[in-house]
Amino acid sequence: MGKKGKKEKKGRGAEKTAAKMEKKVSKRSRKEEEDLEALIAHFQTLDAKKTQIVETPCSPPSPRLNASLSAHPEKDELILFGGEYFNGQKTFLYNELYVYNIRKDTWTKVDIPSPPPRRCAHQAVMVPQGGGQLWVFGGEFASPNGEQFYHYKDLWVLHLATKTWEQVKSTGGPSGRSGHRMVAWKRQLILFGGFHESTRDYIYYNDVYAFNLDTFMWSKLSPAGTGPTPRSGCQMSVTPQGGIVLYGGYSKQRVKKDVDKGTRHSDMFLLKPEDGRKDKWVWTRINPSGVKPTPRSGFSVATAPNHQPLFFGGVCDEEEEENLEGEFFNDLYFYDATRNRWFAGQLKGPKSEKKKRRRGRKEEPEGVSKTQGPVEVVKEVVAEDGTVVTIKQVLAAPGSVGQPQSEDEDSSEEADGPVPGPCPRSNAMLAVKHGVLYVYGGMFEAGDRQVTLSDLHCLDLHRMEAWKTLVEMDPETQEWLEETDSEEDSEEEVEGAEGGCEDEDSAEESSAED
């Protein structure tokens, strides 16, 4: 009884501390948000001049990260919305809407009157009702000088059948935030976590909200049990059993004045209704077996055809004082909720190559191992300004998906040239349609330079043979500006404000947080 009382008292104390911190952040950021609201209103006025729907065939979208990519529930289409692009001086934010036709391999830009304001690090969830609805919540906008941030708390729905945006206004919802996660669970949207940042303060959340798609009402959930600590950028997926799994994420805390320490979380939790009720939930800490992902942030998630959550890429930042070195990934992991087990996604390789390897087996010289470790593929890309960017891609040895390799398949394979597929990256956009995984954009770092991507790749998750590149990375889109000409600052700020701006440090942090 005494222990329980202490725990409850400690819990109430933590809640009070969090409430005080949120109030402090809210007070300091109120003035900043008022300034940015005026800027956002200005751009909404410009968007309001669009009075009709215009669909324009176009080339693939420009490089970006922290956008959303969603599969149309009825058509063979992928829908790309929002995102950001950093060129070394400014971060441009978007509210453009692009549609990729899978069968025709074509892109179309769709201009719709009164769209949501420009944003990145939002969440977009597709539901099949009414010919398809794309629900968008939150995200962030940045000021031209990159020192102020506005976190949205608005909820929008894109009606795909009529190609119209609608802002859904309902009280009692989450506070402004970005880097949160949201999933569709039955006839509800379930939202968790995220963060809010102002010039001097920041706060991470671990609250849970539900939005009812029938009543259009928000409700704050208070799950029983011990749940995740506050964080952003985690994995959140619905399991075939009807629960919601949450893995990893990122948070930071101030260890002393002007010094923050980031944490890459690697714990995992299950959120599910208690006794089958929709209004009462419970958290459970789970410890999966199998091949677990290494700790990282900035990874991307989707759901495989068998309702297994999948996990792609990310970055592991090594923080040493003011230096930040990142190791980027392009590996793939699956979580089997039925067995509570992680396993790595390994490619089998094209069938034609496997047959050749079988036929040539007897001719292999002695001493050659039948198994091969990771293969490193190095590719150099020359940007428009002449800068050579070297991309190192480490490829796992071919094998079956999370299972021992069969005896008739020889895994030895020579790297005759660059292997198609996405290079290591973080903050990419994922979508799955007809059992095929699509990976678009994202970013990686080459020294002090951030490379934002616009390539598109796909992988058949049923066959797991090889990646197919649909859009190559275009070197001409890689712009990098080292210094700002102070005489042109005033003019460039107005131009840059169209997308919002962020300095280099905050762009690096957003890779983890968003």
Side-chain angles (χ1 to χ4, degrees):
M1 187 71 181
K3 288 184 178 180
K4 184 179 178 182
K6 285 183 179 179
K7 285 183 179 179
E8 290 178 351
K9 190 175 180 181
K10 186 177 180 181
R12 288 196 296 269
E15 289 177 5
K16 288 181 180 178
T17 302
K20 287 180 180 178
M21 177 60 72
E22 185 167 2
K23 187 176 180 181
K24 184 180 179 183
V25 172
S26 177
K27 186 176 180 181
R28 290 183 175 180
S29 63
R30 194 172 297 126
K31 179 62 172 64
E32 297 175 13
E33 293 188 347
E34 287 175 358
D35 295 338
L36 291 180
E37 281 175 354
L39 188 58
I40 293 168
H42 167 69
F43 293 122
Q44 282 185 292
T45 302
L46 298 179
D47 288 333
K49 293 181 179 179
K50 301 173 184 176
T51 57
Q52 58 184 359
I53 301 169
V54 179
E55 299 184 40
T56 309
C58 62
S59 56
S62 59
R64 63 193 65 197
L65 66 150
N66 288 327
S68 57
L69 186 66
S70 309
H72 197 298
E74 298 181 357
K75 299 180 180 179
D76 292 334
E77 295 177 346
L78 304 180
I79 298 163
L80 179 72
F81 172 72
E84 61 176 315
Y85 171 69
F86 180 58
N87 69 358
Q89 292 179 358
K90 295 181 173 65
T91 295
F92 298 89
L93 276 77
Y94 307 108
N95 64 345
E96 302 165 326
L97 188 73
Y98 290 92
V99 175
Y100 175 68
N101 188 302
I102 296 173
R103 295 197 176 188
K104 296 180 180 178
D105 188 25
T106 57
W107 288 93
T108 302
K109 184 179 181 184
V110 184
D111 289 310
I112 299 175
S114 303
R118 295 158 174 79
R119 67 189 64 204
C120 69
H122 54 279
Q123 282 288 279
V125 172
M126 185 72 74
V127 297
Q129 283 74 22
Q133 297 173 348
L134 183 67
W135 289 84
V136 175
F137 177 84
E140 70 180 55
F141 178 84
S143 65
N145 60 14
E147 294 180 359
Q148 297 174 329
F149 302 91
Y150 183 88
H151 296 267
Y152 295 102
K153 59 180 179 180
D154 51 354
L155 180 66
W156 294 75
V157 57
L158 172 64
H159 300 279
L160 299 180
T162 57
K163 293 185 174 66
T164 54
W165 281 109
E166 176 190 357
Q167 184 175 4
V168 179
K169 296 182 179 181
S170 177
T171 59
S175 56
R177 63 189 66 195
S178 57
H180 50 288
R181 291 295 178 258
M182 186 170 72
V183 296
W185 184 85
K186 297 186 177 180
R187 291 291 296 154
Q188 296 185 82
L189 302 177
I190 307 296
L191 184 146
F192 169 84
F195 75 101
H196 183 288
E197 183 175 12
S198 64
T199 305
R200 292 181 293 175
D201 296 299
Y202 54 82
I203 183 171
Y204 285 80
Y205 301 104
N206 64 344
D207 46 5
V208 185
Y209 285 84
F211 180 78
N212 190 302
L213 293 171
D214 295 317
T215 64
F216 283 18
M217 297 292 291
W218 282 106
S219 60
K220 186 174 182 179
L221 305 180
S222 300
T226 302
T229 56
R231 64 191 65 190
S232 68
C234 56
Q235 178 186 31
M236 188 176 181
S237 306
V238 178
T239 69
Q241 295 77 21
I244 299 173
V245 290
L246 190 146
Y247 169 79
Y250 176 87
S251 64
K252 62 182 179 181
Q253 59 182 6
R254 191 145 293 164
V255 292
K256 57 183 179 180
K257 187 177 181 181
D258 299 328
V259 178
D260 299 320
K261 182 180 180 181
T263 300
R264 296 182 299 273
H265 300 279
S266 57
D267 46 2
M268 196 164 186
F269 297 84
L270 175 66
L271 177 66
K272 63 179 182 180
E274 192 171 5
D275 300 326
R277 295 171 54 182
K278 293 183 180 180
D279 59 340
K280 195 173 182 181
W281 296 70
V282 60
W283 281 113
T284 305
R285 175 80 179 264
I286 56 178
N287 295 293
S289 59
V291 183
K292 301 176 184 178
T294 56
R296 65 189 72 183
S297 58
F299 51 80
S300 305
V301 300
T303 302
N306 51 5
H307 300 289
Q308 288 183 343
L310 66 85
F311 168 115
F312 170 81
V315 59
C316 178
D317 289 323
E318 295 297 331
E319 301 180 28
E320 295 182 3
E321 295 181 359
E322 296 182 358
N323 296 324
L324 192 66
E325 293 293 333
E327 178 186 0
F328 290 80
F329 303 96
N330 63 343
D331 46 2
L332 192 63
Y333 290 88
F334 297 84
Y335 173 69
D336 186 337
T338 304
R339 295 186 291 171
N340 190 26
R341 182 181 182 87
W342 281 103
F343 58 94
Q346 296 177 320
L347 304 186
K348 301 175 183 177
K351 288 184 178 179
S352 58
E353 292 184 11
K354 287 191 287 185
K355 290 178 180 178
K356 289 179 182 178
R357 290 200 297 272
R358 291 193 197 107
R359 287 199 298 268
R361 221 174 191 186
K362 295 179 181 180
E363 301 175 6
E364 290 178 354
E366 293 182 7
V368 175
S369 173
K370 293 184 180 180
T371 58
Q372 180 176 323
V375 178
E376 185 177 90
V377 177
V378 179
K379 181 167 68 173
E380 291 187 346
V381 177
V382 181
E384 188 177 17
D385 59 3
T387 304
V388 178
V389 178
T390 302
I391 302 174
K392 291 185 179 180
Q393 183 171 357
V394 179
L395 302 168
S400 60
V401 187
Q403 298 175 351
Q405 188 170 324
S406 59
E407 294 179 1
D408 64 338
E409 292 185 10
D410 185 357
S411 65
S412 61
E413 180 179 358
E414 294 182 3
D416 296 328
V419 179
C423 67
R425 65 191 66 197
S426 69
N427 304 85
M429 284 62 73
L430 304 189
V432 175
K433 183 68 178 179
H434 296 318
V436 177
L437 170 66
Y438 294 86
V439 176
Y440 172 80
M443 61 82 75
F444 68 91
E445 293 168 354
D448 294 332
R449 176 173 182 155
Q450 176 177 309
V451 180
T452 307
L453 302 162
S454 59
D455 50 352
L456 177 64
H457 307 267
C458 68
L459 175 67
D460 189 321
L461 296 173
H462 293 295
R463 298 180 179 179
M464 289 295 290
E465 292 178 354
W467 285 98
K468 179 181 178 182
T469 300
L470 301 173
V471 178
E472 292 276 4
M473 183 174 69
D474 185 0
E476 293 186 0
T477 63
Q478 298 303 319
E479 175 190 43
W480 189 256
L481 305 177
E482 295 292 346
E483 296 179 358
T484 304
D485 188 342
S486 58
E487 295 179 1
E488 298 178 359
D489 275 355
S490 58
E491 296 179 6
E492 290 183 352
E493 271 198 4
V494 175
E495 183 182 351
E498 194 163 330
C501 302
E502 216 173 89
D503 61 22
E504 188 170 356
D505 292 335
S506 59
E508 288 174 349
E509 287 184 357
S510 69
S511 172
E513 294 166 342
D514 300 338

